[in-house]
Amino acid sequence: MANKLISEMGLPKSIANIFAARNIHTAKDALSLTEFELTELLDVGLAEVTTAVSSISEISCPPYQTALSLLEQRMHNEYLAGHLPTRLKGLDAALCGGIPFGVITELVGPAGIGKTQFCLKLSLLASLPSSHGGLDGHVIYVDTESKFSSRRMIEIGVNSFPEIFQIEGMAQQMAGRILVLQPTTPTEFSECLQKIKDSLLQHHMKLLVIDSMAALVSGRDGQGQCRQHPLGWHMTFIKSLAEFSRIPVVVTNQVRSHSGDDPFHYSFQDSRQNLDFPTTFDSHLVAALGIPWAHAVSIRLVLESKSGNSGLFD
């Protein structure tokens, strides 16, 4: 709003032309000066300046919302909300139907636990025809670690949905609905997010997968210490994409070792039978990206292996 042009505000041409002649083009330019400074700079009467400033302030000010309007908006969004069923009965029951629309769902776990396999299956589920329980839409898959495998995706599809993949041309049709982006740097990732926003507006997108966030933003400095690139803009942008598009957004995250006191401790190897955690811990694994990122996530799913089981999402 601060950068809104005065020439587009509908002010009388006489005063608008004077503002332009004095290089005052935006609301910010005008409102950064006092009325007396504007009177001297524009060489017009105080009453005329006061009227112009009042109009600029009113037009550039964001519209207000009452508590009632916010409540009605939230109820409307919940009415439009839905879920992408995972076809895993226990998980769908815990999530009240599946991966929810309009929020960020995070998958956390050690390497090789099955995060990418799960994302591949979700991509298939989103692209399935609605007559077979899918969302009948397109998918954007951001593959930051070059782990996406079309061969593996087809294998999962044949094993999970044999009645669908037996239909001639169905595998090619569904694979053609999954757009894969492979940024290798934080800058490329930022550019990808801008492209994703355009695609959501232009195409029938039903799922966004980012696999993984930590691969791009994490690194090491010259002394070998772990460091992270700023995540603030990315967090806000991804969350706004989820809320704006009302589609499920699934993001994978890695784990990292941590030693010492940690009030946010969560070990992927501790027994769930003992809930009385000590106040200090030895080396353990925690989700990467830190607490600020965790606050941007609405649902965190922790993936673990038990008794050496694998292939959970085949």
Side-chain angles (χ1 to χ4, degrees), residues 6 14-26 29-30 33 37-45 49:
I6 293 176
S14 57
I15 189 66
N17 290 337
I18 295 176
F19 274 109
R22 300 298 188 273
N23 292 322
I24 301 178
H25 301 291
T26 67
D29 295 336
L33 301 173
E37 289 173 332
L38 284 173
T39 299
E40 183 177 353
L41 179 62
L42 301 178
D43 194 22
V44 296
V49 167

Side-chain angles (χ1 to χ4, degrees), residues 107-300:
L107 305 178
V108 181
I113 197 67
K115 300 186 295 294
T116 296
Q117 307 297 317
F118 193 19
C119 290
L120 291 176
K121 187 167 186 178
L122 289 177
S123 299
L124 288 174
L125 289 168
S127 60
L128 277 178
S130 55
S131 58
H132 291 84
L135 299 181
D136 196 22
H138 290 72
V139 176
I140 298 179
Y141 196 111
V142 182
D143 177 28
T144 67
E145 297 183 278
S146 298
K147 290 184 177 180
F148 183 89
S149 171
S150 55
R151 183 187 297 274
R152 179 56 180 152
M153 185 182 65
I154 297 300
E155 289 177 353
I156 294 174
V158 171
N159 292 332
S160 302
F161 319 107
E163 72 285 357
I164 300 175
F165 276 74
Q166 288 176 358
I167 302 174
E168 185 177 356
M170 182 59 72
Q172 291 82 353
Q173 178 182 341
M174 293 177 60
R177 293 180 174 183
I178 300 174
L179 173 64
V180 181
L181 304 175
Q182 294 184 313
T184 58
T185 66
T187 300
E188 290 180 1
F189 181 53
S190 300
E191 294 172 353
C192 277
L193 290 179
Q194 295 289 357
K195 294 178 181 178
I196 288 170
K197 182 178 180 180
D198 296 336
S199 297
L200 291 175
L201 294 173
Q202 298 171 7
H203 304 289
H204 191 56
M205 297 297 174
K206 291 296 184 178
L207 174 66
L208 170 60
V209 175
I210 302 176
D211 182 23
S212 70
M213 281 291 296
L216 280 178
V217 303
S218 298
R220 294 189 177 276
D221 58 25
Q223 288 72 40
Q225 298 296 320
C226 184
R227 61 176 174 80
Q228 291 186 356
H229 297 281
L231 269 177
W233 180 85
H234 299 88
M235 288 189 295
T236 303
F237 196 92
I238 296 170
K239 191 170 183 178
S240 66
L241 283 179
E243 295 176 351
F244 170 75
S245 62
R246 307 306 300 174
I247 65 172
V249 174
V250 177
V251 178
T252 66
N253 191 5
Q254 301 171 355
V255 295
R256 60 179 176 82
S257 297
H258 183 79
S259 300
D261 298 340
D262 186 358
F264 303 101
H265 168 74
Y266 186 97
S267 171
F268 295 91
Q269 299 172 336
D270 284 343
S271 170
R272 294 298 175 271
Q273 303 300 320
N274 180 16
L275 299 181
D276 297 325
F277 294 114
T279 56
T280 60
F281 308 95
D282 296 328
S283 178
H284 54 265
L285 297 176
V286 297
L289 302 182
I291 299 303
W293 167 256
H295 288 168
V297 173
S298 296
I299 296 176
R300 169 172 283 177

Side-chain angles (χ1 to χ4, degrees), residues 45-65:
L46 179 60
E48 192 172 2
V49 167
T50 301
T51 301
V53 168
S54 178
S55 298
I56 293 172
S57 299
E58 183 177 356
I59 295 171
S60 61
C61 181
Y64 71 87
Q65 288 182 292

